[in-house]
Amino acid sequence: MRSIWNGAISFGLVSIPIKLVNATENHSVSFRQIHTADGGRIRYRKVCELDGEELTADEIGKAYEADDGSMIPITDEDLAALPLPTAKTIDIVAFVPLDSIDPLQMGAAYYLVAGGPTAAKPYTLLREALKRSRRVAIAKFALRGRERLGMLRVVGDAIAMHGLLWPDEIRSYEGAAPETSVTVRDAELDLADTLMDTLGEVEMDSLHDDYREAVEELIAAKTSGEEAPAQPAADAGAGKVIDLMSALEKSVRAAKSTRGEEGEEGEGAAGTGDGEDAEVRELRPGGRRKADAKGGGGGAHTKAETEKPKSAQKKATSGRAAPKKAAAKRTTAKKTAAKKTTAKKSSAGGTSARSSSSKKTAAGSGASGTRGKKRASA
């Protein structure tokens, strides 16, 4: 591995010669800019805006642009003369627990390579001290013209260093969190926990860049003059607002199916009993009481009743609806008869009076007849 910086680790009075090498590499597919009309490469030339001349690297220097737009030249000699003790030294300033470092601060990663046989002993000493203390070292170092902050930790038999952002370079999270007040129910948290347990852990080595592989296949196909391979369409449902509980339940079932746990779908908080997709709706306040009142207070059904064929359910529904329709017809007939009687009374008042008198006479004769029957029986 090619070193990008040579210096030493300052560990108290102990100096450890080291070389700094990159611990990561970029596998992304890079592209060039071309002229779409003829495929010619687009290149950038460094041209002075005052005289229009193209310049070489030796003719280009550094400058700081002031607020008024003027340029203040800064030479390499000016920078080298600055009192920077970390110019060639990784200066360890403290040892702290790893969990005290905010992951937001972590940047590029490097390996610290012992610089020769004489560095092996102090290098191993620092490595074993970090292992036993279960802490990391915080250090300052200078790289590419500026002082930086770093974190040293043990990786296998080597010491790695992560570049850290300075604390004032971390932005506040304000404005990133939702401003709307949201309440998360325990049932939703239980399903989320079940989903996390079902997904479980993953071997990091098994993860790979699907997009890069697709780009490489596309390039290979175009190079050989073949047709580009068809790629699966993007998920059309992405971004849609759906029922949260239903989405969690389906996610749990999908995760179990992927891991070969189809037989366990009916168990636990996420099971629906029959494995079919269920639409889950949140009950409004009082909704359960209304449903119980309509159903006679019984909310439970047997499995046989739940699994009736749709045709049988339709017949049962039509059979229950028939008495209701007949009762409705009788009620309508009674109302119609009552209306006709009222109309007759209003149109023939005299007749109603005579009818009332005759009813009284009939009532009297009926009463005397009843008394006679009682004497005869006695």
Side-chain angles (χ1 to χ4, degrees):
M1 292 184 284
R2 187 175 64 88
S3 64
I4 60 174
W5 184 90
N6 295 334
I9 300 174
S10 176
F11 177 31
L13 297 178
V14 178
S15 181
I16 311 170
I18 57 98
K19 297 178 180 180
L20 196 67
V21 300
N22 286 315
T24 61
E25 54 188 4
N26 186 5
H27 289 168
S28 299
V29 179
S30 59
F31 298 100
R32 302 291 186 184
Q33 290 184 330
I34 62 170
H35 184 197
T36 55
D38 54 20
R41 278 280 305 275
I42 304 298
R43 297 182 182 275
Y44 292 95
R45 294 183 173 90
K46 296 181 178 181
V47 177
C48 175
E49 64 179 15
L50 295 180
D51 56 21
E53 293 185 7
E54 184 176 349
L55 306 178
T56 63
D58 295 337
E59 299 175 296
I60 299 174
K62 300 182 184 71
Y64 176 79
E65 184 176 3
D67 293 338
D68 60 358
S70 61
M71 296 295 175
I72 304 173
I74 303 292
T75 65
D76 292 338
E77 290 75 17
D78 294 334
L79 296 175
L82 292 176
L84 185 61
T86 58
K88 285 292 181 180
T89 305
I90 298 176
D91 186 18
I92 295 177
V93 297
F95 293 88
V96 300
L98 177 59
D99 57 9
S100 66
I101 304 299
D102 189 341
L104 286 174
Q105 286 185 257
M106 293 188 182
Y110 310 93
Y111 286 129
L112 304 182
V113 182
T118 57
K121 182 64 179 280
Y123 185 98
T124 304
L125 172 64
L126 176 59
R127 183 192 68 197
E128 295 303 314
L130 289 172
K131 276 185 182 179
R132 192 166 69 173
S133 67
R134 296 182 180 179
R135 289 182 290 179
V136 297
I138 302 300
K140 290 183 177 181
F141 67 103
L143 182 64
R144 298 188 181 98
R146 59 183 291 248
E147 189 173 53
R148 302 167 187 262
L149 195 62
M151 180 192 75
L152 278 64
R153 69 183 184 95
V154 177
V155 177
D157 293 331
I159 299 176
M161 182 173 70
H162 296 268
L164 298 179
L165 297 174
W166 297 97
D168 60 357
E169 293 179 318
I170 303 297
R171 290 182 174 181
S172 172
Y173 63 85
E174 293 181 1
E179 297 180 358
T180 306
S181 178
V182 178
T183 301
V184 179
R185 296 179 296 163
D186 290 340
E188 294 167 340
L189 284 173
D190 292 341
L191 276 172
D193 291 340
T194 302
L195 178 58
M196 289 190 291
D197 292 340
T198 304
L199 291 175
E201 299 179 357
V202 65
E203 292 291 337
M204 296 301 292
D205 292 339
S206 66
L207 302 177
H208 57 277
D209 189 345
D210 294 326
Y211 180 76
R212 177 172 61 86
E213 292 180 358
V215 172
E216 290 174 348
E217 291 178 3
L218 173 64
I219 294 173
K222 285 184 171 290
T223 302
S224 60
E226 300 175 358
E227 185 177 354
Q231 301 296 332
D235 185 7
K240 291 183 179 179
V241 179
I242 59 176
D243 182 83
L244 180 58
M245 290 288 287
S246 178
L248 286 170
E249 287 183 340
K250 291 177 182 178
S251 299
V252 171
R253 290 198 295 272
K256 286 184 176 180
S257 177
T258 301
R259 294 178 177 268
E261 301 177 9
E262 293 88 349
E264 300 178 5
E265 289 181 0
E267 301 177 3
T272 58
D274 55 1
E276 297 179 357
D277 292 344
E279 183 180 0
V280 180
R281 293 189 177 91
E282 182 180 356
L283 286 174
R284 296 180 180 177
R288 184 180 295 279
R289 292 193 295 272
K290 292 180 181 178
D292 290 345
K294 292 181 180 180
H301 300 281
T302 64
K303 186 176 181 181
E305 292 173 346
T306 306
E307 296 180 354
K308 283 182 181 180
K310 293 184 178 180
S311 59
Q313 292 178 3
K314 289 181 179 179
K315 289 181 180 179
T317 305
S318 61
R320 289 193 298 269
K324 293 182 180 179
K325 291 181 179 179
K329 288 181 179 180
R330 289 196 295 271
T331 304
T332 305
K334 287 180 181 180
K335 289 181 180 179
T336 304
K339 287 180 181 179
K340 290 181 179 180
T341 303
T342 304
K344 288 180 180 180
K345 287 182 179 180
S346 60
S347 61
T351 305
S352 298
R354 288 194 297 270
S355 175
S356 177
S357 177
S358 60
K359 284 181 180 179
K360 289 180 180 180
T361 305
S365 61
S368 59
T370 303
R371 286 194 294 271
K373 286 182 181 179
K374 288 183 179 180
R375 284 195 298 270
S377 63

